[in-house]
Amino acid sequence: MQVDGWMEKVTFTTILRTDTGSSKVLLRPRTSQEVAHILRYCHERNLAVSPQGGNTGMVGGSVPVFDEIILSTTLMNQVMSFHDVSGVLVCQAGCILEELGRYVEERGFLMPLDLGAKGSCHIGGNVATNAGGLRFLRYGSLRGTVLGLEVVLADGTILNCLTSLRKDNTGYDLKQLFIGSEGTLGVITAVSILCPPKPSAVNVAFLGCPGFAEVLQTFSTCRQKLGEILSAFEFMDAECMKLVELHLRLASPVRESPFYVLIETSGSGAGHDAEKLSDFLEQVLGSGLVTDGTLATDQRRIKMLWSLRERITEALSRDGYVYKYDLSLPVERLYDLVSDLRARLGPRAKHVVGYGHLGDGNLHLNVTAEAFDVSLLGALEPYVYEWTARQRGSVSAEHGLGFKKRDVLCYSKPPEALQLMQQLKALLDPKGILNPYKTLPARA
Amino acid sequence: MQVDGWMEKVTFTTILRTDTGSSKVLLRPRTSQEVAHILRYCHERNLAVSPQGGNTGMVGGSVPVFDEIILSTTLMNQVMSFHDVSGVLVCQAGCILEELGRYVEERGFLMPLDLGAKGSCHIGGNVATNAGGLRFLRYGSLRGTVLGLEVVLADGTILNCLTSLRKDNTGYDLKQLFIGSEGTLGVITAVSILCPPKPSAVNVAFLGCPGFAEVLQTFSTCRQKLGEILSAFEFMDAECMKLVELHLRLASPVRESPFYVLIETSGSGAGHDAEKLSDFLEQVLGSGLVTDGTLATDQRRIKMLWSLRERITEALSRDGYVYKYDLSLPVERLYDLVSDLRARLGPRAKHVVGYGHLGDGNLHLNVTAEAFDVSLLGALEPYVYEWTARQRGSVSAEHGLGFKKRDVLCYSKPPEALQLMQQLKALLDPKGILNPYKTLPARA
């Protein structure tokens, strides 16, 4: 175990300009037993612990608020097993998503999740935050693809639910408690996850649409024509493209349009997939739903098209201070909030942009300004949350609540649910040492 | 609300010959509010309640053990909403699975689960038992497809988590607690579930294989050649076929073989799917993995082929007393246990059969005898459970534990897990009124 007793200024300024954690102790265990020792020690002495993976979260979930001990999974980066018939990967929590992706792809499989931060995020953090990302549409939630977890509880007990079985109905499915609970109920130390076979054919189409109504109709047509090979349907508005061009010097591959969509297909028959895709493109281009488009089949160009979408976050962070919202909304109302806010904020905002996982009803709404401004914040909140609540949406679709959003839980969950969450927290972490000030609202 | 104060002998003799429940009161509420009233009343007076859906479970989970009040969802059978863009169905817990299937199919969608008991099982019961079934391979677990639940807690509190969002990371995902907890933590009153688009082309192939090794190789070939259109891979042995022929007068559509597999494809392009399937069949027939086969594309014949697999349970029940095991095992060892038991039991067993969801690693192992025999049971148990535990399998893949299997939980879960389960039970149902004697082992 490495214990670094240094003054650490945990900075994650590129993503969250306002939050800076501060901690005197960073621990980097290598094994679950070491994690158990640490937690047993901390539990006995009432020391607060902040579990940390790749530190790429959007809501400050992995940042110590005061002087919590940072428990980093950085050195827990071993693959424990891979079964090349079933595609079940078992690994330690600190494995980096992109490295796992390479590992399973060499063996003919694919990680069931992918996200912009893949180069540094840890699989344990992905599971702890129930990360969604770019492959959700096709491979579904981690609640289905994670088969087992090993978790260390607040008192240091190792809970071994690290099964590799697709089906197991023996008692309550305890691992679900820890998926998405942001390290507040236990520390995930190992993950068993089902990887789908790597598709032999992948295509990406990047299209321009004249309006949001056309984006929606393109989505419907897409589902109908591409069916089971559709693996992603992402959208971004013209403002996003402007920022990506301006700050990252990336060039749009299609004519300027109010909206852009990125469609990915993944299938087992290149010829069949190409036919389906061309049938689809013919229809959307012929009917005017799409005004311009480009298609990529080779790896390099696919990556280039994806980078336009994946690097929006980076472009935004270079634009100034960013107010970030990650919302689930009924797909037909998804963009109304962006237009609405643009009108509401006027010149007070530098840019108001909308993009995200349209296929999952997930909007990333971002507002940039030269600097943090409390009056702009006041114009945004609680307005955005109230708007979302009226649509019965979610005020955090995939980013979680962490430290920054914990007080808005009430916009998406009733008081009875909050009460039960607090009871679960009290049951699993009676001393409140695990990731304090996160996920659940401060008590009244 | 209907209250029938009659002496009920709850019989489910066709499935579980040994268990007969007995209850003096059956309540059939129509609304969640009525369920809340009932539970509040029972909670105040320490009255035990046994929630009951279609009463089709295999482990006695819905049968009162002593004089528990039966809380039946039979009259809670209303569809509440269906969104024909997203495919999200919201309905009361007592809706019958097959009727929901018809409802969504008329609108171009499919229920993400299907099982033999569909004609009488309730969706609430499916969710409460985390049912697997025939479409699991393609559409995954209910933990991913169930988007929201309404649950009435032991004290009568209505917990509304009935969201229709694909993504929602606002706090702990409470609905997961109730999925698969067999009515022991709360009563599910309404379900929100994501239905996939109905595939435009469905094909079923029924094949004979010369050995289990060939079944496994057929499965590998199938995944490779059929990829994303594969929607089911079921197997049954020759003994199953004999019983289906003998007791149900169904005829095998292929030459007699040691093993049979049923493969279903569901896709969006009939022509493409047929090509993929014929490419696959050419390979498996050419290489001798499959010795005979038949293909169905029309609805009537597809149904006929499926009935060979779906009606095995019925054939078994006509063969005598049935010892039932529902196991998850590493797929390569799946059939070893069947052969092993056949040798071990010899003439003491009438038939030892193996069938199930091979694609999910799920074996249904059944042993028939003229009548219940305690010495035969002694030869089976704990042998089967110990065998499964050595393979790190699950002693209940999809049937749950209910009343009959609750004491075998320890073969698949460590003591730390059992302890946490008991703590959750105590938190959510401190008086123990909800489905007592189910799921968790009797305390020492």
Side-chain angles (χ1 to χ4, degrees), chain B residues 25-45:
Chain B
V25 182
L26 169 77
L27 301 176
R28 292 189 289 195
R30 289 185 187 276
T31 66
S32 310
Q33 286 68 30
E34 290 180 352
V35 175
H37 286 153
I38 292 168
L39 287 184
R40 202 172 304 126
Y41 182 93
C42 292
H43 192 256
E44 278 167 14
R45 289 162 183 77

Side-chain angles (χ1 to χ4, degrees), chain B residues 37-202:
Chain B
H37 286 153
I38 292 168
L39 287 184
R40 202 172 304 126
Y41 182 93
C42 292
H43 192 256
E44 278 167 14
R45 289 162 183 77
N46 302 322
L47 299 172
V49 175
S50 183
Q52 192 174 85
N55 205 10
T56 62
M58 298 291 196
V59 291
S62 62
V63 181
V65 177
F66 295 109
D67 60 351
E68 298 93 294
I69 291 163
I70 300 175
L71 180 56
S72 161
T73 51
T74 305
L75 300 182
M76 299 180 71
N77 57 2
Q78 300 298 305
V79 169
M80 294 155 74
S81 69
F82 183 73
H83 192 281
D84 57 11
V85 175
S86 63
V88 177
L89 171 75
V90 183
C91 65
Q92 284 189 296
C95 291
I96 289 173
L97 180 59
E98 193 168 45
E99 288 173 12
L100 292 177
R102 269 197 292 270
Y103 180 92
V104 302
E105 282 181 44
E106 281 166 14
R107 288 153 180 86
F109 290 82
L110 199 70
M111 288 302 285
L113 81 160
D114 187 21
L115 55 153
K118 63 184 152 228
S120 49
C121 64
H122 295 186
I123 188 72
N126 297 147
V127 175
T129 56
N130 190 29
L134 306 164
R135 288 177 187 154
F136 188 98
L137 181 68
R138 173 67 168 272
Y139 300 112
S141 153
L142 289 174
R143 298 196 177 275
T145 52
V146 170
L147 301 181
L149 290 180
E150 182 190 64
V151 177
V152 181
L153 302 180
D155 66 359
T157 302
I158 296 178
L159 182 68
N160 183 351
C161 301
L162 203 57
T163 164
S164 293
L165 307 165
R166 288 207 64 179
K167 287 171 155 183
D168 178 20
N169 276 351
T170 53
Y172 310 147
D173 188 2
L174 298 176
K175 70 172 181 288
Q176 299 291 345
L177 278 173
F178 305 99
I179 299 175
S181 64
E182 302 183 294
T184 61
L185 299 181
V187 178
I188 294 170
T189 49
V191 173
S192 165
I193 190 165
L194 182 67
C195 301
K198 188 181 171 185
S200 57
V202 176

Side-chain angles (χ1 to χ4, degrees), chain B residues 221-424:
Chain B
T221 312
C222 192
R223 286 216 298 189
Q224 188 196 328
K225 295 279 180 187
L226 299 178
E228 65 281 359
I229 64 168
L230 179 63
S231 56
F233 192 101
E234 299 287 315
F235 92 105
M236 58 196 275
D237 63 13
E239 296 281 293
C240 286
M241 185 62 88
K242 265 188 222 154
L243 294 178
V244 164
E245 289 176 322
L246 177 69
H247 296 297
L248 307 177
R249 313 249 167 237
L250 298 177
S252 170
V254 298
R255 262 204 311 276
E256 199 178 327
S257 307
F259 291 93
Y260 303 90
V261 304
L262 184 154
I263 293 167
E264 186 190 73
T265 67
S266 305
S268 60
H272 290 166
D273 295 3
E275 265 181 54
K276 286 191 176 87
L277 200 50
S278 101
D279 184 29
F280 159 73
L281 289 173
E282 204 174 295
Q283 174 151 346
V284 291
L285 283 161
S287 61
L289 294 178
V290 166
T291 46
D292 191 20
T294 182
L295 190 63
T297 51
D298 71 281
Q299 192 57 39
R300 200 190 52 79
R301 220 176 118 67
I302 285 176
K303 210 169 170 174
M304 192 273 284
L305 292 180
W306 263 117
S307 69
L308 290 166
R309 163 63 188 84
E310 287 188 89
R311 295 181 67 193
I312 296 172
T313 306
E314 192 184 336
L316 282 162
S317 72
R318 295 195 191 181
D319 197 52
Y321 182 83
V322 192
Y323 302 83
K324 289 175 168 290
Y325 302 95
D326 163 41
L327 313 167
S328 274
L329 289 167
V331 72
E332 58 275 14
R333 302 289 322 264
L334 199 72
Y335 202 71
D336 291 353
L337 178 57
V338 184
S339 312
D340 189 351
L341 268 187
R342 213 169 265 150
R344 178 180 166 87
L345 301 177
R348 281 193 287 176
K350 203 169 162 190
H351 291 101
V352 178
V353 312
Y355 64 100
H357 316 294
L358 189 119
D360 312 318
N362 185 183
L363 170 72
H364 294 319
L365 164 69
N366 284 234
V367 176
T368 63
E370 288 304 343
F372 176 77
D373 172 1
V374 77
S375 81
L376 184 52
L377 185 67
L380 282 163
E381 299 178 16
Y383 185 81
V384 167
Y385 299 125
E386 287 170 353
W387 201 101
T388 303
R390 274 197 302 277
Q391 308 295 327
R392 306 191 65 192
S394 170
V395 294
S396 183
E398 61 175 12
H399 291 170
L401 298 171
F403 177 62
K404 299 189 86 177
K405 305 275 182 184
R406 66 182 182 134
D407 286 320
V408 301
L409 187 147
C410 57
Y411 289 100
S412 294
K413 292 286 158 68
E416 298 80 16
L418 177 58
Q419 194 192 337
L420 182 50
M421 289 182 202
Q422 280 163 334
Q423 288 172 330
L424 287 169

